[in-house]
Amino acid sequence: MASRQRPGKHARAVMSDCRWQPLSLAARAVWLALTDLGDVKPTIRAPVRQGATIEEIARCIAADVDAVRVAAAELVQCDVLEPVGSGFRLKAY
């Protein structure tokens, strides 16, 4: 039987990253949610041709699309997310 993933297991590593402090609360929340989501959805973190769209990310983490769009732009700017095709993937995982 496969062991269950513990939500938030990446939090300590992400929160100790030097890029964490200057981020807005929305960007922090999206980054943490994406690290957990990356455990079950490889397109979020693996080198792929097509990343997850803003709408897909918002649906998966149950967030407002506009809030995710703003947070994603901030995360791209600080080199946490990278554009892939018409979507995004975590660059820092």
Side-chain angles (χ1 to χ4, degrees):
M1 182 173 197
S3 65
R4 293 182 54 152
Q5 294 289 330
R6 188 176 84 245
K9 73 178 187 173
H10 302 287
R12 186 171 296 153
V14 169
M15 292 171 73
S16 65
D17 191 297
C18 63
R19 296 169 283 196
W20 178 260
Q21 283 298 329
L23 291 175
S24 67
L25 291 177
R28 289 177 181 189
V30 169
W31 189 2
L32 284 174
L34 286 174
T35 57
D36 285 338
L37 185 59
D39 287 337
V40 294
K41 189 168 182 57
T43 58
I44 297 294
R45 60 181 166 83
V48 293
R49 292 182 183 196
Q50 184 64 35
T53 65
I54 295 293
E55 293 77 15
E56 186 179 7
I57 292 169
R59 184 174 25 82
C60 288
I61 65 173
D64 179 66
V65 174
D66 293 329
V68 172
R69 188 172 286 115
V70 171
E74 191 175 345
L75 292 170
V76 167
Q77 185 176 10
C78 72
D79 226 17
V80 170
L81 278 181
E82 67 180 346
V84 178
S86 62
F88 298 90
R89 78 171 197 87
L90 276 171
K91 193 172 184 178
Y93 179 74

